[in-house]
Amino acid sequence: MKSLFRFAFLILFSLSSLFSQIKIGYVDSETIMKQLPEAQEAQRRIDALVQQWQSELQKMRDEWKAKYDEYEKRKLILTDEARAQMEKELSELDRKIAEYQMQKFGPDGELYRKQDELVKPIQNKIFNAIKEVAV
């Protein structure tokens, strides 16, 4: 029994010395990104691009809505051929809107690439600073 007690004590003593050497830190990267001037500038540039793209997207939607309203007003007096042509135009505009949205905001879109281009170097800089402090 005494040997079991000594063995348990030895293990606990070894573990406590091991845990006393572990350092734990906390990094609030969101706060760092909000306060770092480089990150703020990158975010401003991204926000400007997003605003521009959303404006273009809204113009396309407004154009589609105007064409649709025109179609709805005139569809009873249009010939079958003219109605089919307008429906084709509406469908084409709808496809272009979806394509533009995917091109700009999709998973492999320009927004993702631009964020990667502008923010990744800043994140690397932060990570390297954290590594220096951690050593």
Side-chain angles (χ1 to χ4, degrees):
M1 183 73 169
K2 285 185 180 183
S3 63
L4 182 62
F5 180 71
R6 283 187 213 151
F7 182 70
F9 181 74
L10 184 61
I11 289 176
L12 287 175
F13 182 73
S14 298
L15 288 176
S16 68
S17 66
L18 175 69
F19 288 128
S20 68
Q21 296 175 5
I22 295 175
K23 295 179 183 179
I24 297 175
Y26 174 76
V27 177
D28 187 357
S29 58
E30 186 177 327
T31 301
I32 293 171
M33 292 297 283
K34 285 181 181 177
Q35 294 179 357
L36 195 64
E38 298 165 55
Q40 292 172 348
E41 177 59 29
Q43 190 60 51
R44 274 193 290 275
R45 290 175 63 187
I46 290 168
D47 290 345
L49 280 174
V50 167
Q51 184 65 33
Q52 177 186 347
W53 295 334
Q54 285 178 335
S55 176
E56 184 64 31
L57 198 55
Q58 189 58 47
K59 285 179 191 174
M60 294 169 80
R61 288 178 180 145
D62 291 344
E63 180 184 351
W64 183 90
K65 176 77 169 114
K67 277 195 184 277
Y68 179 76
D69 290 344
E70 174 77 18
Y71 168 76
E72 283 294 312
K73 287 178 191 174
R74 299 181 54 210
K75 74 178 176 182
L76 294 176
I77 61 172
L78 291 172
T79 65
D80 288 342
E81 191 175 294
R83 191 172 334 141
Q85 178 62 31
M86 287 188 83
E87 288 171 358
K88 182 179 176 187
E89 288 174 13
L90 283 168
S91 179
E92 181 65 21
L93 271 175
D94 196 38
R95 186 192 61 76
K96 283 182 180 179
I97 290 169
E99 189 177 279
Y100 183 83
Q101 191 168 2
M102 189 59 82
Q103 176 188 11
K104 299 299 182 184
F105 301 105
D108 293 326
E110 265 187 73
L111 177 60
Y112 176 78
R113 289 192 304 270
K114 202 58 153 170
Q115 284 175 326
D116 196 45
E117 173 189 325
L118 295 175
V119 177
K120 195 69 150 182
I122 298 167
Q123 289 173 333
N124 288 341
K125 182 178 178 181
I126 294 169
F127 181 71
N128 289 336
I130 291 169
K131 279 188 354 186
E132 283 182 31
V133 171
V135 173

